[in-house]
Amino acid sequence: MEKCQYHHVVGRFAPSPTGALHIGSLVAAVGSYLMAKQGGGRWLLRLDDLDAQRQVPGMADDIMRTLESFGLLWDGEVAFQSRHLEEYRRIFAVLQQMGAIYPCACSRREIARSASAPHLEDECMPYPGTCRGGMKANAAIRSWRVRVPEEEICFADMRKGRFCQTLPAVSGDFVLRRGDGEFAYQLAVVVDDHLAGVNQVVRGDDLLASTPRQIYLQRLLGFPQPDYCHLPLVAGPDGSKLSKRDHLVSHQLGNVAGRERALLLAVLRFLGQNPPPELARCSCSTILEWGIAHVNPRQLPAQGGVLVV
Ligand code: GLU
């Protein structure tokens, strides 16, 4: 008898409400939306708002309104990481019982920023494991770290192909929680994606280096591994980082009516698609439908670059 299996895609977009939506995030939103919807799946929205100090009031709403203006409508309720502390506590306790984590007294920049996703420029030197064998007597706990093994962790990225990392050389034993109780992005993202049933993670290339850390946690916890696709990054005109101002979707939109459609088409082209010029007269939802029908991870460009509107 035929064995019929249907893999229902659950994708997600997980911006941090530390500012208004920027162009790189719009690319991640559109890419993850098209790929989830092409599989007939669901596309979830989660606000990664764990890092209390970097939150800007009103930005979660602002991001949601911007997504809606592009017809990027999420399925179900919006999730907020700040409301999931109970789940993080529970999983943290499981890891503790397994003996996978240890308290650490070292003070490093990585600890201060651990609640936020480490984008390229935020990555730190690997932690040398100073507290692995125990902390000095009476030292204060500044963080909790997970022990990482020497072995290589590999996965097949839908765009980049096979990607391998040996964690001791990249992050070392990484922070899961700060001494003040705040949970780290690396733990929160793994717990949230798992609990929401996410099986496809599409996001910017600047998080590629975090993926082996997340896969390692999934393996420790016995969680299934999602499929990953890391998208090319948007650069400024001279190939450099985009300036803060140029980076904002609102700045690109200006006050020009219908500019969303032009920007959406530019994002499709940036993602290696070739939308027909007539689409420029159509609504955002028609443009997205076209994108869903044509998206192909194999056609995603190998390099990022300028997004030309
Ligand atoms: N919230 C993270 C960010 O600011 C992204 C989370 C993820 O896609 O894993 O980029």
Side-chain angles (χ1 to χ4, degrees):
M1 228 172 69
E2 181 202 13
K3 247 201 177 162
C4 184
Q5 284 187 342
Y6 187 66
H7 179 71
H8 205 78
V9 175
V10 183
R12 51 73 155 176
F13 174 53
S16 303
T18 50
L21 198 73
H22 57 77
I23 296 290
S25 297
L26 181 65
V27 168
V30 173
S32 59
Y33 178 89
L34 300 182
M35 285 175 57
K37 293 293 169 178
Q38 186 172 54
R42 287 162 58 76
W43 184 68
L44 311 180
L45 177 63
R46 184 183 75 228
L47 274 307
D48 285 357
D49 59 349
L50 271 191
D51 194 341
Q53 276 169 3
R54 298 181 67 212
Q55 305 309 305
V56 179
M59 284 306 135
D61 272 340
D62 193 85
I63 290 173
M64 290 189 262
R65 298 300 80 82
T66 307
L67 292 174
E68 283 169 343
S69 72
F70 285 93
L72 291 161
L73 306 180
W74 51 93
D75 294 297
E77 297 275 310
V78 182
F80 290 84
Q81 286 196 323
S82 58
R83 299 181 192 165
H84 296 172
L85 302 185
E86 225 13 85
E87 283 84 359
Y88 306 148
R89 257 181 228 121
R90 191 165 55 78
I91 300 293
F92 183 80
V94 169
L95 290 167
Q96 234 170 348
Q97 269 160 19
M98 288 166 58
I101 53 188
Y102 62 87
C104 175
C106 299
S107 81
R108 291 163 63 93
R109 188 166 73 105
E110 176 206 2
I111 300 174
R113 297 293 297 270
S114 62
S116 290
H119 295 268
L120 293 177
E121 69 277 12
D122 307 320
E123 287 287 4
C124 294
M125 295 292 288
Y127 177 67
T130 320
C131 296
R132 222 180 207 222
M135 302 193 316
K136 281 205 195 97
N138 301 328
I141 299 179
R142 288 215 163 82
S143 68
W144 296 84
R145 294 179 179 271
V146 62
R147 280 171 226 283
V148 300
E150 277 298 334
E151 83 232 24
E152 242 189 357
I153 295 186
C154 298
F155 74 100
D157 185 83
M158 289 160 95
R159 165 172 159 257
K160 308 200 73 148
R162 189 173 154 86
F163 181 80
C164 295
Q165 228 182 40
T166 310
L167 294 182
V170 178
S171 61
D173 297 343
F174 55 96
V175 173
L176 294 189
R177 193 175 191 180
R178 283 195 340 206
D180 65 6
E182 188 171 86
F183 290 99
Y185 156 77
Q186 303 291 1
L187 178 73
V189 70
V190 166
V191 173
D192 284 331
D193 284 341
H194 175 68
L195 294 179
V198 168
N199 54 21
Q200 185 183 77
V201 173
V202 179
R203 58 187 176 191
D205 220 357
D206 52 349
L207 287 170
L208 178 72
S210 280
T211 303
R213 263 167 272 180
Q214 294 167 19
I215 290 177
Y216 175 59
L217 289 178
Q218 289 154 5
R219 289 182 187 168
L220 269 181
L221 291 160
F223 295 169
Q225 183 181 316
D227 293 331
Y228 286 97
C229 182
H230 289 87
L231 300 172
L233 299 181
V234 181
D238 52 354
S240 61
K241 242 186 117 206
L242 271 188
S243 74
K244 273 226 156 85
R245 194 172 123 92
D246 288 343
H247 215 160
L248 291 180
V249 170
S250 54
H251 178 154
Q252 288 283 342
L253 291 176
N255 271 331
V256 188
R259 178 94 173 147
E260 281 89 356
R261 293 176 290 171
L263 189 49
L264 198 49
L265 284 167
V267 172
L268 295 192
R269 288 193 295 269
F270 184 82
L271 292 173
Q273 299 195 338
N274 195 6
E278 311 84 80
L279 260 187
R281 290 194 297 272
C282 301
S283 66
C284 282
S285 61
T286 305
I287 296 172
L288 287 172
E289 264 169 43
W290 188 93
I292 292 167
H294 293 86
V295 69
N296 180 353
R298 261 169 271 134
Q299 273 171 14
L300 289 166
Q303 300 294 328
V306 183
L307 187 136
V308 185
V309 186

